[in-house]
Amino acid sequence: MSAANDRRQRVLRAIVADYIARQEPVGSKMLVERHGLKVSSATIRNDMSVLEREGYITQTHASSGRIPTEAGYRAFVDALHDVKPLSTAERHAILDFLEHGVDMEDVLRRSVQLLAQLTNQAAVVQLPTLNVSRVKHCEVVALSPTRLLLVLITDTGRVDQRNVELAAPLGTDGVFLLRDLLNTVLVGKTMRDASAALKMLHAQAPPVIADAVERATAVLIETLVETTTDRLLIAGAGNLSVNRMVDLHSVIEALEQQVIVLKLLANAQQLEHVSVSIGNENEEKEFSQASIVSTAYGAGDEALGGLGVVGPTHMDYPGTMQKVATVAQYISRILRGE
């Protein structure tokens, strides 16, 4: 890269950094004073003209400074090789807050609240799906002689409850027998892996609990295999109102629709990799004026879910990327029992 091109890249990074910090158009004199570029304002103006022609910055009106375009933000993000790490105190505070979670869902609830506070953006996190988490135990509780509660606990701490209506009363011994039979085909498997065995289970059941087994397995298959839905937690949507989002109403409405938010997290499939999508890079038109920073958390080498933040295109990318990455790393550590 020539000296002139290298300088223009430094000018672009300075413009983006200043605009993120102040949300005000950036002028050449300001850049020389703040960033020690060691060239004249006239040289910087020439560089800015080139950057504008190339589509990285734009001018709101003839006498104003420049502001970054989406292409400018993308170039800025792509050049972030070394993101400044959080301080030791910040890391300890994050880990301490998350470790006080009573179960996995509470840890994730704390995570999304923490991300919203740390970034001043809207934060989202996907709970582990039953397609990737494995069943740890299935408890069967008699709510009445003809109604059972199935409590499914996974190795990621997810807990799902389902009611089962029986045709006839089931005694205590029958409840215990049903529990043991369900656990023989569920424990250690994902719900999808266990579905075939569940469908055949009623044929293996003792006559005394055959009807209960058929009804319980039907509920598990219909609600947790065939129509399983990902669950999301969202926090900090109100933060967007102070971040000068141009289309705030559409963004908040879209955040309330789980299908759209799951699409936002679709890129968050790789552990320890942070994805950034800016403005019109987002497929959903509601987020065409927003940026999304996301990553995955998991146990071992397997991603269990995604998390991230939604904010304006002028968000603090280095800080947001580091905070999203750090929270994901600590969730993964807790999942591994470290």
Side-chain angles (χ1 to χ4, degrees), residues 12 54-57 68-76 278 281:
L12 176 59
E54 293 176 344
Y56 293 112
I57 58 177
T69 63
E70 288 182 13
Y73 287 123
R74 169 51 59 193
F76 177 81
I278 301 169
E281 293 175 357

Side-chain angles (χ1 to χ4, degrees), residues 175-224:
V175 170
F176 290 157
L177 189 56
L178 174 61
R179 179 197 63 194
D180 293 343
L181 199 58
L182 289 173
N183 278 292
T184 60
V185 298
L186 289 173
V187 172
K189 299 176 183 176
T190 67
M191 284 301 299
R192 197 162 298 281
D193 289 343
S195 62
L198 282 171
K199 290 175 182 177
M200 301 298 296
L201 193 58
H202 72 280
Q204 308 167 23
V208 68
I209 62 166
D211 180 71
V213 169
E214 185 171 4
R215 290 170 181 267
T217 55
V219 167
L220 291 173
I221 291 169
E222 289 171 9
T223 65
L224 296 179

Side-chain angles (χ1 to χ4, degrees), residues 98 104-105 107-109 111 115 124-129 132-133 156 158 230-233 265 268-273 294-308 324-336:
L98 297 183
M104 189 61 217
E105 186 162 337
V107 169
L108 293 176
R109 194 177 306 280
S111 299
L115 264 182
V124 295
V125 64
Q126 177 186 11
L127 274 70
T129 71
V132 295
S133 52
T156 60
R158 174 170 173 168
D230 295 306
R231 293 189 296 166
L232 295 164
L233 301 172
L265 299 176
Q269 300 296 322
Q270 187 176 345
L271 296 173
E272 298 186 1
H273 173 75
S294 59
T295 190
Y297 67 87
D301 297 326
E302 187 174 33
L304 296 177
L307 76 156
V324 167
T326 301
V327 171
Q329 288 167 6
Y330 284 151
I331 294 173
S332 298
R333 282 178 56 178
I334 292 170
L335 274 175
R336 294 192 297 265

